[in-house]
Amino acid sequence: MKNDFVDYKLLQEQIQNLAKEDSWFVPLFSNACALIMQTIPALNWAGFYIVKNGDLVLGPFQGELACIHIKKGKGVCGTALETNNTMLVPNVHLFSGHIACSALSKSELVVPLRKNGNVCAVLDLDSPQKNRFSESDKIEFEKIAQILESSVEFNSSF
Ligand code: SME
């Protein structure tokens, strides 16, 4: 939101510190989306979808109940997976194929996380305001995605 100052540098340092504490995706993604939700104004949903068998499955999130499975190429998240690109959608109602998990969401920013160049998860941010995300939000969240992807581990030793 243009008028609200967000200290992205601090947010990025905090996420780096979370990754140092535990790099397993459950605690790391859980606390990362909690931190994002409490730091970034005007969000109704912040969370992760994880790549599983080539499609997306719901991971840690904050917000309303969400779709569990998203096919590659479907919706904003599935398009980020298919294209391996950040998706900044100023008005979801103008995005063909948008998956309306929550009627509240009006704009979205979806940033891929990669391992060896392949998407391993996406960070999905939804806002109840149209045009919520700027180019500078996109750049700062791409830095956050880089911090997360360079540390996160998906395997456990159970
Ligand atoms: N709206 C997303 C689906 C996920 S929910 O917003 C949590 C999409 O179209 O990819």
Side-chain angles (χ1 to χ4, degrees):
M1 202 156 57
K2 284 119 201 159
N3 299 325
D4 281 307
F5 176 75
V6 173
D7 189 342
Y8 274 112
K9 195 163 180 293
L10 176 62
L11 178 61
Q12 287 152 3
E13 280 169 14
Q14 288 170 318
I15 290 179
Q16 185 75 71
N17 286 333
L18 290 174
K20 280 187 202 144
E21 171 82 20
D22 199 312
S23 57
W24 191 37
F25 80 100
V26 175
L28 178 56
F29 285 180
S30 300
N31 265 339
C33 63
L35 193 55
I36 289 167
M37 200 66 165
Q38 71 189 44
T39 305
I40 306 290
L43 297 182
N44 59 288
W45 204 92
F48 295 85
Y49 281 89
I50 318 286
V51 177
K52 187 180 170 196
N53 301 326
D55 295 315
L56 294 169
V57 64
L58 185 63
F61 72 95
Q62 299 260 313
E64 309 86 9
L65 197 72
C67 327
I68 297 172
H69 295 109
I70 299 178
K71 292 269 182 209
K72 186 176 187 173
K74 298 288 174 196
V76 184
C77 293
T79 305
L81 168 60
E82 187 170 62
T83 62
N84 199 339
N85 272 318
T86 298
M87 299 292 300
L88 199 172
V89 180
N91 181 351
V92 295
H93 300 303
L94 302 179
F95 185 90
S96 159
H98 169 249
I99 302 164
C101 290
S102 164
L104 289 175
S105 302
K106 295 209 170 60
S107 60
E108 290 199 25
L109 179 64
V110 178
V111 187
L113 277 61
R114 303 172 181 96
K115 284 278 184 201
N116 305 315
N118 300 314
V119 181
C120 60
V122 300
L123 169 57
D124 180 9
L125 307 173
D126 296 359
S127 172
Q129 298 177 355
K130 273 191 233 169
N131 300 304
R132 162 67 187 82
F133 303 102
S134 64
E135 270 305 307
S136 118
D137 292 317
K138 174 178 178 251
I139 290 165
E140 297 301 339
F141 273 100
E142 285 175 339
K143 287 184 201 159
I144 288 170
Q146 282 166 17
I147 293 167
L148 291 168
E149 72 192 11
S150 64
S151 339
V152 69
E153 291 172 70
F154 290 98
N155 295 327
S156 71
S157 52
F158 297 145

